Amino acid sequence: MVKRLVIVGGGSAGWLTAGVIAAEHRARDGAGLSVTLLESPDVPAIGVGEGTWPTMRDTLRKIGVSETKFLRDCDASFKQGSKFERWVDGREHDYYFHPFMLPEGYLETNLVAGWMKRHATTPFADLVSFQPHLCAQGKAPKQPQTPEYAAVANYAYHLDAGKFGTFLREHCVTSLGVRHIVDHMTGVESAPNGDLTAVTTRSNGALAGDLFVDCTGLTSRLLGGHFGIPFVSRHHVLFNDTALALQVPYDDAQAPIASHTISTAQQAGWIWDIGLPTRRGIGHVFSSAHTTEEAAERVLLEYLARTGGKAGAAPRKLTFEPGYRREFWHRNCVAIGLSAGFIEPLEASALALVELSAAMLSDEMPATRDAMEIVARRFNDFFAYRWERVIDFLKLHYVLSRRQDSEFWRDNRDAASMPDRLTELLRLWRFQPPSRYDLHRVEEVFPSASYQYVLYGMGFRPEPEGFSRRMDDADRADEYFREAARLTHRMVGALPTNRALLQHIYQYGLQRI
Ligand SMILES: Cc1cc2nc3c(=O)[nH]c(=O)nc-3n(C[C@H](O)[C@H](O)[C@H](O)COP(=O)(O)OP(=O)(O)OC[C@H]3O[C@@H](n4cnc5c(N)ncnc54)[C@H](O)[C@@H]3O)c2cc1C
C-alpha cells in the first residue's frame, strides 16, 4: 500500500504538490496519506517565477487558501494575459495582447473568417475580446463585491515567489498536516529491485516512504542524479538559456499596476516586466550564444531607464538548459517542477505544469505499488505530450517574427530549428484557424484560442481560399464582435483599477465563498 509520501524540495513545486495532495488525501487525520516535505537549509529555492496561469485560482481554492490572505501575504496582483511589444517587426508601436479569455462566440462560429472579411485592419484580440481593453486601461478583472476566486474577466496572478513559498509552507504545515523537515538530503536507500525505500539526511536519519516526489529544482537530485534519467535538450529549438533578474521598487507608492505581463522583444531574447503592488519584477532572458552577459545587462538597464525605474541591486544571473527529462515518473519516484524540466519563462508555463502534475498525481494516486506501474506510464505519456506542446507554443512566438535586426531572430526562423508538428500546423493554419482538432486532449496547457491570439497577433494571415466560401460567417461573427464592443464599454466603466481593487482588498477583504 502507498501510505507515505516524501517530497524532497521546498520551492514552489514542492509546496504546491504538498498542498494539493495533503488537502485531497486527508494528510491531517491518521487514516489519510502521510505527507513529509524535506527542504535543505543550504540550497535556497530559485526565488523567481512571478507570472502564473488562471489554473492557479483553482489550485489555491482547492487547497483551502483564502484569496484575500494570499493577495496580502504574497504581494500578489491580478494578471489578465500578456502584452507582446516589438515581437512582430521591432518597431516602437508594434504590440499585441494575448488575453486569458476566450473570444466572444469562440465555439459558435468561425470568427477568423469574419475578422478577415470585414475587419482585417483591427487587431484580432481587440475585436474578439473585451479583455485587451481592460489591460490597456489597467483595470482589474473583478469588482470589490465579486467573491473570492470568482471572476468578471478570467485572471491569474503576479506574485512574489519568495513570499509565495513561505505562504504555502505555513498553510501546508498549520492547516493541512504536512510534516516539514529542514535538513539536507545526503543520499538514498534502495530496495533490491531499485525502488527507493528512504532518503537519508544529515541530522534526521533516514526518511522512509512508499512514493517520493523529486522537487529538488534544476539539480533533479533523485530522478536525474540518482536514477540517471536522461535530459532531453530542446536548446536547438528554443535558444534562451540565461536570465538576469531585478526587483525594482516603484518611485510612487500609488503607481498604476499593469494588469498583464509586459514582454518586450530584444535583439537576443526578451524582457519580462511584472507589476506587483510594491515593486516590479523585471528580467532579461536571452540566448548566451547570441549575446554576452555584459551586453544583456546593458539592454536590461536601458529598458529600466526607459520605463522609469531604478535598480536597487545588481541583477541576479540564472542559467538553465531548455528541455525536460525523458521520463518523469521512474519506479517509485516522480519529478515535479524544475527537476522535471524547464524551457524558458515566456507565457509562464512552468507553474502551470507543476499544478497539472500535482493534480494528476493526486487524482491518480496509486493505492499500491502494483498500480503505480500503470499510473506512471500514463503520467509519462501525458507529460511528454504536454512538454512538447509547450515547446511548440513558445516557438510559435519566435518563428513568425519579421525582425531582421540580429542572428537570434534569423536563427529562430531557420526551418531546422522548427518542431515538425508546428511546421505542419502552420501549413494547415494558412487555410483554417487553430482549433480543438489541433489540440484535442483534455487540459491542454495552452488552448487553441491562445494559438489564435499569438498567430494573428504576430501578423500571420490566412489565405482567402480558406474562408471565402463560408458565406454566413461574417454576419454571425459581427454579432459577437458587437457583443465584445458592448462588453468593453460596460466593463471599462464598471471595473476599478488593479491598484484600487487591491487597496480595497487590503482594507476590507473579499467575500469568502
Ligand atoms: C529566469 C526564470 C524565470 C521564471 N519565471 C517563471 C514565471 O514567470 N512563471 C512560472 O510559472 N515559472 C517561472 N519560472 C519557473 C519557476 O521559477 C519554477 O518552476 C518554480 O519556482 C518551481 O521551482 P522548484 O520548486 O521546482 O525548484 P526550486 O525553487 O529551485 O526549489 C528546489 C528545492 O529543493 C531543495 N533541495 C535541493 N537539493 C536538496 C537536498 N539535497 N536536500 C533537500 N532539499 C534539497 C531546495 O532547498 C529547494 O527548497 C522561472 C524560472 C526561471 C529560471
Side-chain angles (χ1 to χ4, degrees):
M1 296 298 291
V2 174
K3 291 187 168 165
R4 298 163 302 174
L5 187 79
V6 176
I7 298 171
V8 186
S12 305
W15 286 114
L16 278 168
T17 306
V20 169
I21 292 174
E24 292 185 347
H25 292 269
R26 304 191 358 229
R28 214 170 20 180
D29 72 60
L33 195 68
S34 85
V35 179
T36 301
L37 187 144
L38 172 69
E39 176 184 12
S40 171
D42 308 345
V43 187
I46 196 160
V48 283
E50 301 188 327
T52 64
W53 197 245
T55 45
M56 189 58 83
R57 270 164 47 218
D58 210 34
T59 300
L60 295 180
R61 192 183 49 75
K62 269 202 230 158
I63 66 178
V65 161
S66 142
E67 189 180 32
T68 300
K69 186 164 167 29
F70 159 75
L71 288 163
R72 287 174 182 159
D73 289 5
C74 299
D75 199 18
S77 57
F78 300 106
K79 170 181 175 185
Q80 300 186 60
S82 295
K83 182 182 183 191
F84 292 94
E85 296 188 346
R86 303 189 182 199
W87 281 74
V88 180
D89 57 22
R91 284 183 308 176
E92 196 161 343
H93 297 294
D94 148 15
Y95 75 85
Y96 70 95
F97 280 99
H98 167 198
F100 285 145
M101 292 193 74
L102 292 182
E104 294 302 317
Y106 185 60
L107 297 175
E108 305 301 321
T109 189
N110 186 334
L111 297 168
V112 177
W115 167 57
M116 286 304 296
K117 278 181 189 166
R118 295 185 184 164
H119 307 273
T121 55
T122 306
F124 177 73
D126 295 6
L127 184 70
V128 300
S129 168
F130 64 87
Q131 196 157 38
H133 306 280
L134 296 186
C135 290
Q137 308 229 14
K139 294 289 184 167
K142 61 202 276 174
Q143 291 175 305
Q145 62 273 28
T146 317
E148 291 200 332
Y149 299 117
V152 172
N154 194 15
Y155 69 90
Y157 308 102
H158 289 139
L159 50 82
D160 179 309
K163 291 182 177 165
F164 187 46
T166 309
F167 172 80
L168 288 171
R169 180 180 70 211
E170 198 180 292
H171 180 71
C172 287
V173 172
T174 57
S175 304
L176 298 175
V178 175
R179 186 162 72 118
H180 181 209
I181 297 174
V182 180
D183 201 346
H184 193 75
M185 182 187 85
T186 47
V188 301
E189 289 175 358
S190 305
N193 69 357
D195 275 11
L196 299 176
T197 53
V199 290
T200 55
T201 63
R202 203 182 282 147
S203 320
N204 285 268
L207 301 176
D210 305 308
L211 177 59
F212 293 81
V213 189
D214 182 348
C215 293
T216 56
L218 291 171
T219 53
S220 192
R221 288 287 308 264
L222 295 176
L223 195 78
H226 173 70
F227 284 116
I229 299 300
F231 185 78
V232 180
S233 175
R234 284 289 181 261
H235 211 159
H236 57 292
V237 178
L238 288 157
F239 311 138
N240 290 340
D241 57 7
T242 312
L244 294 173
L246 278 174
Q247 299 189 348
V248 183
Y250 294 109
D251 282 341
D252 171 4
Q254 295 308 314
I257 305 169
S259 232
H260 48 275
T261 299
I262 303 164
S263 160
T264 308
Q266 306 296 331
Q267 282 198 341
W270 58 279
I271 288 178
W272 77 78
D273 188 340
I274 284 179
L276 304 185
T278 61
R279 64 164 173 86
R280 287 151 71 202
I282 296 181
H284 186 187
V285 56
F286 59 92
S287 158
S288 62
H290 293 88
T291 189
T292 61
E293 191 182 325
E294 294 68 37
E297 182 169 339
R298 235 180 358 259
V299 167
L300 181 63
L301 297 179
E302 277 162 19
Y303 175 87
L304 198 57
R306 203 170 56 245
T307 56
K310 280 193 266 330
R316 196 177 139 218
K317 181 179 171 188
L318 300 118
T319 57
F320 54 90
E321 174 158 11
Y324 57 84
R325 298 277 155 189
R326 199 177 65 199
E327 268 183 291
F328 309 100
W329 192 325
H330 182 75
R331 304 210 67 86
N332 61 340
C333 173
V334 52
I336 295 183
L338 297 173
S339 57
F342 181 62
I343 305 295
E344 65 145 293
L346 190 67
E347 296 283 9
S349 61
L351 288 171
L353 281 170
V354 167
E355 295 173 75
L356 285 166
S357 305
M360 183 164 180
L361 177 60
S362 182
D363 291 348
E364 294 266 280
M365 181 60 69
T368 63
R369 178 64 184 83
D370 183 43
M372 201 182 288
E373 295 293 324
I374 305 160
V375 172
R377 217 169 27 244
R378 284 215 291 241
F379 189 95
N380 286 330
D381 170 58
F382 259 76
F383 283 92
Y385 174 86
R386 283 172 169 161
W387 279 96
E388 282 301 320
R389 293 299 73 71
V390 168
I391 290 162
D392 286 350
F393 184 61
L394 300 197
K395 184 70 177 177
L396 182 68
H397 294 65
Y398 293 98
V399 292
L400 299 171
S401 177
R402 297 194 292 273
R403 285 184 71 126
Q404 295 292 349
D405 51 324
S406 66
E407 284 301 311
F408 175 79
W409 293 97
R410 283 191 286 276
D411 289 350
N412 256 304
R413 289 191 291 270
D414 182 347
S417 74
M418 290 269 287
D420 291 345
R421 191 173 185 276
L422 182 62
T423 306
E424 187 178 281
L425 284 170
L426 282 167
R427 269 170 45 213
L428 190 67
W429 292 339
R430 286 177 56 210
F431 302 103
Q432 63 194 63
S435 76
R436 62 186 187 281
Y437 298 106
D438 305 317
L439 299 142
H440 46 79
R441 294 225 185 167
V442 281
E443 293 181 322
E444 290 278 351
V445 185
F446 297 105
S448 56
S450 289
Y451 284 75
Q452 291 195 3
Y453 286 130
V454 172
L455 197 66
Y456 305 128
M458 288 298 300
F460 184 95
R461 293 292 176 267
E463 306 281 348
E465 294 89 321
F467 53 81
S468 54
R469 284 173 300 180
R470 306 179 70 113
M471 291 308 293
D472 59 342
D473 271 345
D475 285 343
R476 284 202 69 198
D478 264 351
E479 283 173 30
Y480 292 111
F481 301 153
R482 279 195 294 275
E483 178 62 9
R486 259 195 309 274
L487 287 168
T488 300
H489 184 71
R490 223 172 63 212
M491 300 295 177
V492 167
L495 289 165
T497 63
N498 229 349
R499 186 172 291 285
L501 179 60
L502 286 162
Q503 277 168 346
H504 172 91
I505 293 169
Y506 294 157
Q507 211 173 349
Y508 304 107
L510 288 166
Q511 187 191 322
R512 289 207 75 167
I513 32 173

